[in-house]
Amino acid sequence: MPDPHPDSLTAPAAGSPLRVGVVIATLGRSDACGDVLRWLLAQTLPAAKIVFSVEKPQDLPDPMGPDIQVVMGPRGLCAQRNRGIAALRDACDVIAFFDDDYIPSVHALKGLADLFAAHPDIVGATGWVLADGVGKGGIDAARAEAIVTAHDQAVPRPWTILGDTLSAYGCNMAFRTRAMEGIAFDERLPLYGWQEDVDFAGQIRRRGRLVKTDAFAGVHRGVTTSRTPGARLGFSQIVNPIYLARKKTMTWPHALRISIANIIANHVKMLRPEPHIDRAGRARGNWIAIGQILSGRIEPEGMLKID
């Protein structure tokens, strides 16, 4: 477990001059956010600024710790992340987006600073997920922290760029601030903003390299609380990819592939659904989405009209 006290933080290395800020957009997960914050306050390279973007004070971890900025406004992952960007734009060279249930390595921000300093052509990066609880019922905090601790205590090795990529994984991604000028998370993708990471990556990769790297790593717990209801998510699973393909931030083959895969998975698994997934609700949302598409409308915000 990292030391949460700010007087234990290591000063930034002379060879890592870039300022790295962190945005955590959260809703209804104050306990999980507290775990993330402890690891952020124990980074070997302290964050230039940490921003929690929330709907209400009850979403915040307690205690908050020193020098944490809070921005408030209406819920919605895309809108909340955009408010975070606005708060950090002038204070950071790189902005990292971590999910509120993501436990980062204590070396994550140092790795990000080194990566972006060493490669001026890189505009965005997605990190190495040591374990992912999404679709598996989640990983509890103690197990997640044990995995990250084992990673951090392993024999250090130079980080690498694993390859260029067309996308980024929203739980642990970072972008060069100056490359983000004029780009925003699409607020037409409401609430959970399904595929918002693909859309943002699709915009920014037109300005430089987008890479996958092990320069920063962590565990995505996949907490199942405060997630989008089944029918609404099922709607987004179909409409959002088609909407992004029309925007040209997702390829048509990828959009069709994930849409069809979701339809098949939801209908097949309805017979024996996972305890943490509302397959019947998702299937219903799939059909509502198909009806909207056949009517000639592609409106991601239509999910807000679904009960």
Side-chain angles (χ1 to χ4, degrees), residues 104-303:
S105 159
V106 296
H107 308 300
L109 301 190
K110 175 65 163 61
L112 273 172
D114 288 348
L115 171 73
F116 281 88
H119 296 274
D121 58 330
I122 289 177
V123 296
T126 189
W128 183 18
V129 179
L130 303 172
D132 195 345
V134 170
K136 302 173 184 177
I139 299 172
D140 66 56
R143 175 61 179 156
E145 293 189 4
I147 293 170
V148 175
T149 297
H151 168 79
D152 287 348
Q153 291 177 347
V155 177
R157 61 185 178 84
W159 53 262
T160 58
I161 294 174
L162 303 173
D164 288 64
T165 182
L166 296 178
S167 186
Y169 190 12
C171 69
N172 68 335
M173 59 186 185
F175 303 98
R176 195 180 298 274
T177 309
R178 70 168 184 266
M180 297 167 68
E181 188 66 34
I183 293 176
F185 288 92
D186 190 339
E187 295 184 23
R188 288 196 66 188
L189 306 176
L191 299 184
Y192 183 62
W194 200 69
Q195 299 294 306
E196 98 296 337
D197 44 5
V198 175
D199 177 59
F200 195 89
Q203 297 178 68
I204 204 166
R205 72 170 184 261
R206 298 164 183 165
R207 300 181 175 183
R209 290 181 70 193
L210 183 66
V211 300
K212 183 174 179 59
T213 180
D214 59 10
F216 63 113
V219 170
H220 185 208
R221 292 179 55 203
V223 173
T224 56
T225 59
S226 298
R227 289 199 176 273
T228 303
R232 288 183 170 186
L233 180 56
F235 179 89
S236 296
Q237 285 179 330
I238 309 304
V239 168
N240 288 14
I242 304 304
Y243 170 74
L244 297 183
R246 293 180 67 179
K247 279 184 66 176
K248 299 182 179 180
T249 55
M250 180 183 288
T251 66
W252 275 106
H254 183 59
L256 294 173
R257 184 167 59 250
I258 63 174
S259 297
I260 293 169
N262 280 317
I263 291 171
I264 293 172
N266 291 332
H267 286 74
V268 170
K269 294 181 180 181
M270 277 175 57
L271 301 176
R272 297 183 66 182
E274 307 90 327
H276 56 282
I277 297 179
D278 177 12
R279 290 292 180 182
R282 291 187 186 185
R284 181 167 72 88
N286 290 164
W287 284 105
I288 296 172
I290 291 169
Q292 184 189 94
I293 292 169
L294 292 176
S295 74
R297 294 179 292 120
I298 308 292
E299 299 173 353
E301 56 269 56
M303 63 101 80

